[in-house]
Amino acid sequence: MTRVNAPHPAGYDGGLTTGAVARLLGVAPTTLRSWERRYGIGPAEREGGRHRRWTSADVELLMRMCDFTSAGLPPAEAARAAIAAASGGGSAPPGATRETRPAPARPSTAPGALPVGRGRTEARGLARAAVRLDARAVEDLLALALDRHGLVGAWDEVIMPTLNAVGRRWESSGERYVEVEHLLSWHVSTALRRAAVGPPPVRGAAVSLLACVPDENHTLPLEALTAGLMQRGLPVRMFGAALPVEALEEAARRTGPAGIVLWSQGRATASRPLAQRVASIEWGVRGARTTPAVVLAGPGWAGNQPDGVLRPTSLAEALALLSALASR
């Protein structure tokens, strides 16, 4: 698959700093410095003889190397292949200097790159880091995205495009990319838990219950919703994957939630009778029974929801809806 070129960020033509290049490609700055020292993959120019400034040709060479490492080549071999491709097919030793290499004429076609559609530049870097199984870079890029764009922005424009790209590649390649999906999912979950920090719970706010329907194991969207509610100081109980309906009923009667969110990733797990059963849960004193608002989330519910339920279509919409329910 042909690599999708990342868009040029502001200041690209004038040279990028090492930090900016690291974010663009999804590698740690220390990795870039190591590649320069070991393989001669470094910036051609320095400001004042000291500060690294990466030109478009420098970054293109790095993109080639990332493509080759994503395809499974060891870094030393990937560096030689990238240098050879940039110089029109000739070979170059790992220690070749950058100044002797001409700028590449066209993008690399090494397999392994993941197209992330309209995702931000950080999504492309995150996808590259995930394919390389570079856990440190994945962790750093997720933290940076959450800090820079906030939870909703990072989820919509960085995390979800990357998860979708990995999922599409896994579906089209058999089991080949399952390790990439597992690594990325684990680090996304860790990043969301770290982001789930906010003020003390709002006094008097009603709790929200979040659970995947039985046989559903995709929890990350609910983890993002949990983090968003906690950032707002709203009480939440997150039950995770494949919660039996009897357990959900018991939890609802014990906590008296304003809303219950049921996540379904695929149509096979979405069940209208299940949603209707949850909507019929009651608690409270006799004569003054209360029922929860049922919130159906996830693509599995498309065209398959009963009347009277709520159906947000984005993280921001779900947060606004549950915030309103909690304050009633």
Side-chain angles (χ1 to χ4, degrees):
M1 177 177 289
T2 301
R3 172 169 48 75
V4 176
N5 287 320
H8 293 181
Y12 188 84
D13 292 337
L16 293 175
T17 65
T18 295
V21 174
R23 291 191 295 272
L24 178 67
L25 299 181
V27 300
T30 53
T31 299
L32 294 181
R33 288 188 278 271
S34 174
W35 286 357
E36 180 185 9
R37 185 176 65 255
R38 295 181 180 181
Y39 314 123
I41 305 286
E45 301 175 1
R46 296 170 183 267
E47 281 189 349
R50 297 188 306 276
H51 299 294
R52 294 173 173 84
R53 301 295 295 186
W54 300 77
T55 67
S56 59
D58 296 326
V59 175
E60 181 65 30
L61 186 66
L62 284 172
M63 287 179 174
R64 290 179 183 272
M65 181 166 177
C66 288
D67 284 343
F68 287 127
T69 58
S70 296
L73 291 182
E77 188 175 346
R80 287 194 293 270
I83 292 170
S87 59
S91 61
T97 60
R98 178 66 184 92
E99 288 79 4
T100 63
R101 292 194 297 270
R106 58 195 177 115
S108 165
T109 57
L114 299 177
V116 296
R118 295 179 177 273
R120 286 183 176 269
T121 298
E122 292 97 325
R124 290 167 171 79
L126 182 59
R128 291 189 180 95
V131 170
R132 290 196 313 275
L133 302 182
D134 188 338
R136 176 66 179 273
V138 169
E139 181 179 351
D140 290 347
L141 288 165
L142 286 169
L144 180 66
L146 286 163
D147 181 65
R148 177 175 292 179
H149 306 299
L151 177 66
V152 173
W155 177 258
D156 288 343
E157 301 176 29
V158 179
I159 297 173
M160 276 302 297
T162 308
L163 288 169
N164 288 336
V166 172
R168 287 192 299 269
R169 179 60 63 85
W170 175 72
E171 290 175 355
S172 64
S173 304
E175 296 296 317
R176 184 180 170 200
Y177 281 81
V178 68
E179 75 282 0
V180 177
E181 184 177 38
H182 280 237
L183 179 98
L184 178 61
S185 296
W186 189 87
H187 281 285
V188 168
S189 179
T190 301
L192 291 173
R193 288 173 185 269
R194 289 174 177 168
V197 178
V202 176
R203 191 167 185 175
V207 69
S208 297
L209 304 189
L210 279 56
C212 291
V213 298
D215 300 319
E216 179 58 71
N217 294 303
H218 291 80
T219 64
L220 290 180
L222 287 188
E223 293 179 49
L225 183 54
T226 299
L229 291 171
M230 293 183 69
Q231 287 180 352
R232 297 182 178 207
L234 297 176
V236 57
R237 304 291 182 269
M238 165 61 164
F239 295 101
L243 184 69
V245 65
E246 297 81 7
L248 182 59
E249 288 176 327
E250 178 62 22
R253 293 190 179 99
R254 290 173 60 184
T255 61
I260 298 178
V261 181
L262 299 174
W263 177 269
S264 171
Q265 182 72 19
R267 288 179 177 273
T269 61
S271 167
R272 289 172 59 93
L274 170 66
Q276 292 168 333
R277 179 173 173 178
V278 172
S280 68
I281 299 174
E282 294 183 336
W283 62 86
V285 297
R286 184 173 299 176
R289 299 284 188 182
T290 301
T291 58
V294 176
V295 180
L296 302 183
W301 295 108
N304 193 33
Q305 64 267 13
D307 296 334
V309 300
L310 302 171
R311 181 79 170 89
T313 58
S314 68
L315 176 59
E317 188 178 341
L319 284 170
L321 176 60
L322 291 172
S323 296
L325 290 173
S327 62
R328 285 182 179 176

